[in-house]
């Protein structure tokens, strides 16, 4: 029987953590009662450096439910690192791992379908939103643009898939083979190439609290996703530079033509426009190259992806199951 691990990253979620636990524990009990997962399956909360009462509530749950485990970061390292830490911490202890945001906006009930797909041979099962009706206009448009660009850069990218997925043991164990500190799991996992499928669901509204993903964080995540898997932005900048150069050549021919026929050359407006255009393109090019240099800077330092302040997982526990 499948031993399942559910990993839920948390950051300042004390308003909803108990409701989340109640729903997940009840759902897990149903899976166990129907012999779909084993009774020693796990629920792992990863506290990403919360500064509210999230960790205290998780510790209460650990004391009352033997299925619950917890990891606490020393500070906020980001959701991608929290997911990574949770998956790699229990990879050897389970047959399959499901990652799920703690706000439960992703429909956890389709985990049942994920398990069926897993039993049929899929190592990775992606939870994919069937629509974006709950998003505001800006987020819908920016998301469509982002996925369009990512599909050009990384054809394996799954549109409208975030952090909700099931991974087999061997998939989860392989994550340790990726040593980069700039983590973007949505891009890394499709590159593994194991048999995969999708399940579709409708995203729900938050029960309480507010999203921790500001526009700034979403933009930063998008930049990470694009620059972590391709040098396409540098190539795009090169192409813009070539087009600008050709524009300059044609403009020079135009000026010579004007002089040859004694037509007055436009004054400062054309000069200033050219300067602004060229300076803007140069700054864009420098910033794109700088983004890649900055990533190299962080990678060569080899700093830890995260620091665990407290954990209730016995890392020396004997492996319960063999690889699928």
């Amino acid at each position: 029987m499948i031993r399942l691990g559910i990993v839920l990253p948390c950051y300042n979620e004390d308003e909803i953590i108990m409701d989340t636990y109640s729903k997940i524990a009840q759902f897990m009990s149903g899976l166990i009662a129907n012999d779909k997962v084993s009774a020693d399956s796990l629920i792992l909360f990863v506290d990403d450096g919360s500064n509210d009462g999230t960790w205290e509530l998780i510790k209460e749950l650990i004391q009352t439910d033997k299925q619950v485990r917890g990891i606490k970061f020393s500070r906020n390292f980001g959701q991608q690192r929290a997911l990574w830490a949770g998956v790699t911490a229990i990879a050897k202890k389970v047959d399959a791992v499901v990652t799920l945001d703690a706000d439960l906006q992703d429909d956890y009930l389709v985990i049942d379908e994920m398990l069926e797909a897993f039993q049929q041979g899929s190592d990775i099962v992606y939870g994919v939103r069937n629509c974006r009706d709950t998003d505001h206009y800006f987020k819908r448009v920016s998301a469509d643009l982002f996925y369009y660009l990512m599909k050009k850069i990384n054809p394996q990218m799954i549109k409208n898939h975030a952090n909700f997925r099931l991974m087999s043991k061997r998939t989860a164990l392989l994550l340790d083979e990726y040593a980069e500190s700039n983590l973007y799991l949505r891009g890394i996992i499709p590159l593994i190439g194991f048999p995969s499928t999708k399940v579709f669901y409708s995203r729900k509204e938050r029960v309480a609290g507010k999203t921790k993903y500001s526009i700034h964080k979403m933009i930063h995540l998008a930049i990470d996703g694009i620059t972590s898997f391709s040098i396409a932005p540098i190539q795009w900048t090169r192409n813009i530079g070539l087009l600008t150069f050709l524009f300059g050549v044609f403009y020079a021919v135009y000026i010579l033509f004007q002089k040859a026929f004694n037509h007055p050359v436009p004054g400062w407006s054309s000069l200033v426009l050219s300067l602004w255009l060229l300076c803007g393109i140069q700054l864009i090019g420098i910033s794109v190259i700088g983004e890649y240099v900055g990533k190299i800077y962080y990678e060569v330092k080899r700093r830890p992806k995260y620091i665990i302040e407290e954990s209730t997982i016995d890392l020396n526990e004997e492996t319960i199951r063999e690889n699928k």
Side-chain angles (χ1 to χ4, degrees), residues 159-200:
K159 184 178 180 180
N160 290 331
H161 164 69
N163 301 311
F164 186 25
R165 66 182 73 88
L166 178 146
M167 291 175 283
S168 65
K169 176 196 285 286
R170 64 172 181 168
T171 305
L173 289 172
L174 270 174
L175 286 184
D176 267 341
E177 301 295 323
Y178 291 83
E180 63 250 46
S181 60
N182 293 289
L183 300 178
Y184 189 70
L185 292 175
R186 301 182 204 183
I188 291 174
I189 292 171
L191 292 178
I192 292 175
F194 287 159
S196 63
T197 189
K198 305 172 186 175
V199 297
F200 295 89

Side-chain angles (χ1 to χ4, degrees), residues 198-211:
K198 305 172 186 175
V199 297
F200 295 89
Y201 67 95
S202 298
R203 191 168 171 83
K204 303 175 182 178
E205 296 289 345
R206 251 181 174 265
V207 175
K210 58 183 180 180
T211 179

